[in-house]
Every structure is written in structure tokens, then in C-alpha cells.
Amino acid sequence: MKTLYLSDLDGTLLTPQACLSAFTAETVRRLLREGMAFSYATARSFSTAKKVTAALGDARLPVIVYNGEAIVDAGDGTVLDAVYFTPEEAAFVRGVLEAARLRPMVYSRPAARVQAEHVAYLAQNCTRGLAYYLETRRGDERLHAVESEKLYDGRIFYFTVIEDSRAACEAPYEKLRADGRFSVHLQPDLYSDSYYFEIMPKAASKAEAAKRLMALCGCDRLVCFGDGENDRSMFRIADAGYAVENAADALKAEAAEVIPSNRADGVAHKLLQLWAAERPR
């Protein structure tokens, strides 16, 4: 049997400073050299994920981005597998968000160039959280301030609303969750006091992407690591799921074990322990 080891990034593999510790980077590089099938599943885009994981080196499996919307090549970001909203689904989401007066970032890819991403947003009257997001991503070529009539153009695969309070998103979150056609998450940002409301096609979840990645890599077991609500789906299909000490209580309740926090390199230490028992002799 071959095991896929799959870790969330922010709050799990990464330190609270959104980087890899020297110990974790060196440990994962060594395990990869020894043959471990290790990858990550993140809410981040590949554009930002590749920066914070650069220390892992080049010899890696494909990675899961956008909470499971896409599986991409770990080297150049080429999209290997992706899911999209239908035009009817995108229109429904738009109506719900506009009724709640929420201003999303809208992620799309041109049909002719699936690897090229376009993130549209309205620059006027940004929330404090969105302004912080844009400031920390200066120079990101995906980002485009547009007029309102252009916001929903393209082949849409992801919506993100960044609000300064949870209350602003709760009613549309519940409506979209109850609809059944969408995968939705509403949770606090780890690095600011904002809330992220993320909306994806139903087939876009870390669990569904993990299944597809296992098939791509020829793996038949899944061991995963996480800290947040958006990791629950992959915990539910995993042979073993490990929650870091700083994880949400709901995730800890579903974990096989609670391991040391991201401050203490909990994932790296657990990987070493698991690999010592499983590595080929």
C-alpha cells in the first residue's frame, strides 16, 4: 500500500509568521528524498503557495490549491485538474452576494488558457480586510481592479469575500450552504482580524481533490494534517487525520490524534514518526 501524506499550509505546516521553519523544511525535503508521497492542500492560490513553500525544493507531487478547486503542477502551476461554476450557478451566487451588498473577489480562467488566472475586484470602498489583502499582494499579476459590469466576466471558479465582521456574511453563507450546489466556508483569517467567506463549486473540496490526487499518484491510503474548518472534509475520508494543537475544536473532535502546534513543528515530527514505521526497508 502507498500512502499520500497531505498537509494544510496556514496554521498547520506553516508557522504563525506564514513561513516554513528551518526544521520543517529540512525534514520534509529529506522525507521526499527518501520516497515519501507528500503534498499540500491549501486555500491559497498557487501564486502565493509556491512562495511560502519554496524551501521544500522541486521534487514534489502535484499540489491542491483553492480549497480543492484545482490540482496543479508543483513546479510551474500548470492546472492538471479543475472544477468550475456553471453559468447558472455563478449567476445565483452573484444574486445572493449583491442582495447582501457584499463585494467579492471573483476568480476566473479564460477558457483558452486554463492556467491563466484573473482575479477581479471593485476598488471603491474596500473593506479594511480587502485593503489589507491587496496591500500584502502588491505586484500580483492576477489582481485587476475593474468596473462593476466586468466583475463577473470569464469562466468563474471561486469567490472570496473579505469582511470586517462575521455577521455581514452569515445570512448569505447560510443561504448558499442550504442550497446544496456549493462548497462554502466562513472563518476568521489567521493573520488579520477579518473574516473570509469563500464559495466554490460543490465538487471543489479538499476531500474530492485528495481523492483525485491519490488516483494521479497511485496512492491507496490517505494521512492528512490540518487546523481549520475547511480541513474537515479530508479528515472524514482519510485513513488518519491529525489536528495540530492550535486547530479548531470541531477539527480536533474528528482527529485520530491532536499533535503539537504549528509553532512546535507538530506536522514534521509526526511525519518522522509515521515514516519510521512505514518507510520501505
Side-chain angles (χ1 to χ4, degrees):
M1 298 180 75
K2 183 178 179 182
T3 301
L4 173 63
Y5 295 88
L6 192 61
S7 180
D8 173 54
L9 291 182
D10 295 279
T12 305
L13 193 68
L14 303 182
T15 71
Q17 291 72 44
C19 63
L20 292 167
S21 74
F23 176 78
T24 288
E26 172 53 35
T27 297
V28 174
R29 285 197 304 268
R30 177 162 68 83
L31 294 175
L32 287 167
R33 289 195 300 270
E34 292 177 3
M36 175 180 277
F38 174 86
S39 187
Y40 62 75
T42 181
R44 287 176 179 261
S45 67
F46 178 72
S47 176
T48 62
K50 70 178 180 180
K51 295 176 183 175
V52 297
T53 60
L56 297 183
D58 296 328
R60 286 180 281 153
L61 300 178
V63 297
I64 295 168
V65 295
Y66 291 122
N67 272 321
E69 182 276 330
I71 298 172
V72 304
D73 183 275
D76 62 11
T78 298
V79 176
L80 306 175
D81 182 277
V83 293
Y84 296 87
F85 291 102
T86 66
E88 295 76 18
E89 289 169 346
F92 183 82
V93 173
R94 175 179 180 174
V96 170
L97 297 180
E98 288 182 346
R101 298 190 177 183
L102 296 177
R103 300 152 63 89
M105 291 188 293
V106 182
Y107 296 67
S108 65
R109 298 186 186 100
R113 295 179 59 211
V114 71
Q115 71 273 24
E117 294 175 358
H118 185 279
V119 183
Y121 66 95
L122 303 178
Q124 301 83 7
N125 302 315
C126 286
T127 63
R128 186 175 67 252
L130 178 55
Y132 173 80
Y133 177 93
L134 296 172
E135 177 62 29
T136 57
R137 285 161 176 78
R138 283 181 175 271
D140 189 330
E141 295 181 353
R142 299 172 305 141
L143 298 173
H144 300 273
V146 299
E147 300 299 324
S148 57
E149 67 272 12
K150 296 290 187 181
L151 184 59
Y152 296 92
D153 286 354
R155 194 179 183 201
I156 299 171
F157 64 89
Y158 205 88
F159 295 88
T160 298
V161 176
I162 306 177
E163 278 290 331
D164 300 328
S165 72
R166 182 183 178 91
C169 301
E170 283 182 338
Y173 165 75
E174 292 297 342
K175 184 168 185 175
L176 291 171
R177 188 167 70 92
D179 181 273
R181 288 180 291 170
F182 310 104
S183 178
V184 294
H185 301 291
L186 175 57
Q187 56 191 9
D189 179 39
L190 292 175
Y191 308 114
S192 70
D193 58 359
S194 300
Y195 285 82
Y196 275 53
F197 175 25
E198 296 165 305
I199 308 150
M200 297 143 284
K202 185 67 174 179
S205 71
K206 289 187 177 183
E208 292 303 316
K211 293 176 186 177
R212 299 195 297 269
L213 182 57
M214 289 173 70
L216 282 173
C217 300
C219 294
D220 45 23
R221 289 188 72 249
L222 176 65
V223 171
C224 59
F225 303 86
D227 77 306
E229 294 280 346
N230 61 342
D231 297 315
R232 293 177 72 182
S233 69
M234 66 176 179
F235 269 49
R236 290 170 180 168
I237 67 160
D239 294 276
Y242 297 95
V244 286
E245 179 58 42
N246 52 289
D249 289 340
L251 191 68
K252 289 181 180 178
E254 299 189 24
E257 180 184 334
V258 177
I259 62 175
S261 75
N262 63 330
R263 293 178 182 272
D265 297 301
V267 173
H269 286 292
K270 191 64 183 180
L271 286 171
L272 286 170
Q273 178 187 337
L274 293 171
W275 190 239
E278 189 171 332
R279 65 178 293 185
R281 303 296 178 182

